[in-house]
């Protein structure tokens, strides 16, 4: 009966991409966290990729980002986003009421906690569990199974948040959340092109240049690549292209990358001396969409003295771990008398 009401669902609410995992189907959704809203009527016109394609092309459309820094900032829009995705991928328009697991930053504030709780229940969740992103990523990559070391260090580098967690003896020992991520790198590239070439770039063009030729300085023996990006000439207002090389992008992102590395160092600084000694043999595992920037693991190793590696399925690690939380919870359901059960915040993972 509960499967008929809605299959267990896990959602990774990223500032740039929302991912959804449905029981028995795997990851079914990787959509941009965007909504297109009409300026005149206030009605939501599209979400995800269609909304992104409307940006800057339809004068009646304004883009809304309901998720900022890993938490809902526009409660009604976040509710619409989750409700629409749940109904679409459960193939039921009005009856889907799944058990829901949502990943959250480890430093989630009480205000964002209540906003997420309200949005999830309004979107149709019958039971809500919140999982800190470092714990979800560790479960998703299988780093909590038998035979693994007791201590795990996860650095999840997303679009707007870098979340660092040290997991030991089945729980989150210490964590640190910094509001810095891949979007800061895109803004830095756009600022450099504007200052040095007099061209205004869109964030999508800056992100494309980062993905194509981006690397962390020093470049070492990596071949220098180049790409052509197009934007608007500030002086004439006409479209113009400019060639960006790997060295240009590396020079632009030096500052934001240093802040990301500092955030990882701050996350490790909260460990006790007993745990700090064991970190040398464990190292840091990088997850998140921005973790695959070439040279980032080498820079972290040089700055922290700890080994760093990029995990498998870095983008999907958190949502896969959230799905595993639901699978391990079994078929236990809340009492029928609990008309509005309180959300459960998962802080331990001894059973996984």
């Amino acid at each position: 009966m509960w499967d008929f009401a809605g299959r267990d669902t896990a959602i990774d609410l990223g500032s740039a991409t929302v991912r959804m995992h449905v029981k028995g189907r795997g990851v079914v959704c990787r959509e941009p966290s965007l909504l297109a809203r009409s300026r005149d009527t206030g009605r939501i016109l599209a979400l995800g990729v269609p909304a992104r394609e409307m940006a800057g092309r339809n004068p009646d459309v304004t883009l809304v980002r309901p998720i900022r820094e890993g938490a809902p900032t526009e409660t009604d829009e976040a509710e619409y986003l989750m409700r629409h995705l749940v109904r679409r991928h459960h193939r039921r328009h009005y009856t889907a009421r799944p058990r829901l697991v949502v990943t959250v930053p480890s430093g989630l504030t009480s205000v964002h906690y209540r906003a997420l709780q309200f949005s999830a229940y309004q979107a149709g969740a019958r039971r809500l569990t919140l999982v800190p992103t470092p714990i979800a990523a560790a479960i998703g990559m299988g780093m909590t199974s038998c035979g693994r070391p007791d201590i795990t260090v996860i650095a999840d580098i997303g679009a707007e948040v870098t979340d660092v967690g040290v997991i030991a003896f089945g729980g989150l020992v210490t964590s640190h959340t910094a509001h810095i991520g891949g979007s800061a790198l895109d803004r830095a590239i756009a600022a450099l092109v504007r200052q040095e070439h007099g061209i205004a770039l869109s964030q999508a063009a800056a992100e494309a240049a980062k993905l194509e030729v981006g690397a962390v300085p020093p470049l070492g023996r990596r071949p220098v690549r180049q790409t052509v990006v197009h934007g608007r000439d500030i002086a004439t207002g006409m479209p113009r292209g400019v060639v960006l090389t790997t060295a240009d992008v590396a020079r632009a992102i030096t500052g934001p990358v240093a802040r990301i590395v500092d955030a990882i160092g701050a996350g490790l600084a909260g460990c006790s001396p007993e745990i700090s000694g064991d970190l040398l043999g464990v190292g840091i595992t990088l997850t998140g969409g921005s973790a695959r920037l070439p040279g980032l693991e080498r820079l972290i190793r040089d700055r922290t003295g700890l080994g760093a590696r990029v995990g498998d399925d870095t983008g999907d690690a958190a949502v896969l771990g959230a799905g595993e939380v639901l699978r391990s919870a079994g078929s236990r359901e809340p009492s029928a008398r609990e008309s509005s059960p309180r959300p459960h915040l998962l802080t331990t993972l001894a059973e996984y």
Side-chain angles (χ1 to χ4, degrees):
M1 286 296 297
W2 284 119
D3 280 345
F4 178 79
R7 295 192 180 195
D8 294 344
T9 303
I11 299 179
D12 179 20
L13 285 177
S15 301
T17 305
V18 57
R19 293 174 169 86
M20 176 180 287
H21 178 282
V22 176
K23 177 183 176 182
R25 299 176 189 164
V27 180
V28 297
C29 169
R30 298 178 185 87
E31 289 277 355
S33 305
L34 291 173
L35 298 176
R37 183 168 57 193
S38 172
R39 296 179 188 269
D40 294 336
T41 64
R43 189 169 62 91
I44 302 297
L45 303 176
L47 64 84
V49 176
R52 184 173 59 188
E53 293 175 350
M54 290 183 180
R57 294 178 173 88
N58 189 336
D60 181 47
V61 169
T62 177
L63 277 184
V64 179
R65 296 181 179 271
I67 309 298
R68 292 280 187 172
E69 298 173 355
T73 54
E74 304 285 344
T75 307
D76 293 339
E77 284 75 8
E79 171 198 337
Y80 179 92
L81 178 66
M82 285 192 285
R83 183 175 66 247
H84 185 87
L85 292 177
V86 165
R87 289 177 178 177
R88 177 199 296 177
H89 294 287
H90 283 74
R91 302 172 187 143
R92 297 182 180 91
H93 292 291
Y94 299 105
T95 61
R97 292 185 56 82
R99 291 192 303 177
L100 200 62
V101 170
V102 180
T103 63
V104 295
S106 58
L108 189 71
T109 65
S110 59
V111 175
H112 289 154
Y113 178 88
R114 289 192 295 269
L116 181 56
Q117 173 185 353
F118 176 81
S119 299
Y121 282 127
Q122 289 295 110
R126 72 173 184 268
R127 192 69 171 171
L128 176 63
T129 302
L130 305 180
V131 184
T133 301
I135 289 183
I139 297 174
M141 291 187 297
M143 301 184 70
T144 60
S145 59
C146 297
R148 293 285 185 177
D150 292 334
I151 299 177
T152 302
V153 182
I154 299 292
D156 186 84
I157 307 172
E160 294 185 355
V161 172
T162 296
D163 203 355
V164 185
V166 180
I167 303 167
F169 305 106
L172 195 62
V173 175
T174 183
S175 63
H176 177 73
T177 302
H179 298 158
I180 182 69
S183 295
L185 276 63
D186 302 338
R187 292 191 295 269
I189 295 172
L192 179 134
V193 174
R194 184 184 187 94
Q195 180 180 1
E196 296 189 356
H197 301 280
I199 297 177
L201 286 184
S202 66
Q203 186 173 353
E207 182 182 9
K210 178 189 68 177
L211 296 176
E212 190 166 351
V213 301
V216 174
L219 304 179
R221 297 182 178 179
R222 293 182 179 274
V224 176
R225 294 170 294 170
Q226 63 182 24
T227 184
V228 179
V229 294
H230 296 86
R232 177 177 56 84
D233 192 298
I234 298 175
T236 65
M238 300 299 291
R240 185 157 68 93
V242 63
V243 177
L244 290 181
T245 66
T246 305
D248 295 330
V249 175
R251 183 159 43 90
I253 66 177
T254 299
V257 168
R259 292 174 57 193
I260 292 176
V261 176
D262 291 342
I264 295 176
L268 300 176
C271 295
S272 64
E274 292 79 8
I275 294 180
S276 298
D278 295 334
L279 294 182
L280 293 173
V282 175
I284 305 170
T285 301
L286 306 180
T287 64
S290 302
R292 292 191 177 275
L293 186 65
L296 181 59
E297 66 274 17
R298 173 190 47 76
L299 181 62
I300 294 173
R301 182 173 61 249
D302 294 342
R303 295 283 183 87
T304 64
L306 303 179
R309 72 176 188 91
V310 179
D312 300 330
D313 295 328
T314 55
D316 293 341
V319 73
L320 291 174
E324 183 66 18
V325 170
L326 278 172
R327 190 192 66 81
S328 301
S331 59
R332 177 174 53 84
E333 287 293 336
S335 169
R337 295 181 179 180
E338 297 184 68
S339 58
S340 180
R342 293 176 59 85
H344 173 57
L345 179 62
L346 182 73
T347 56
T348 60
L349 42 84
E351 67 268 28
Y352 299 103

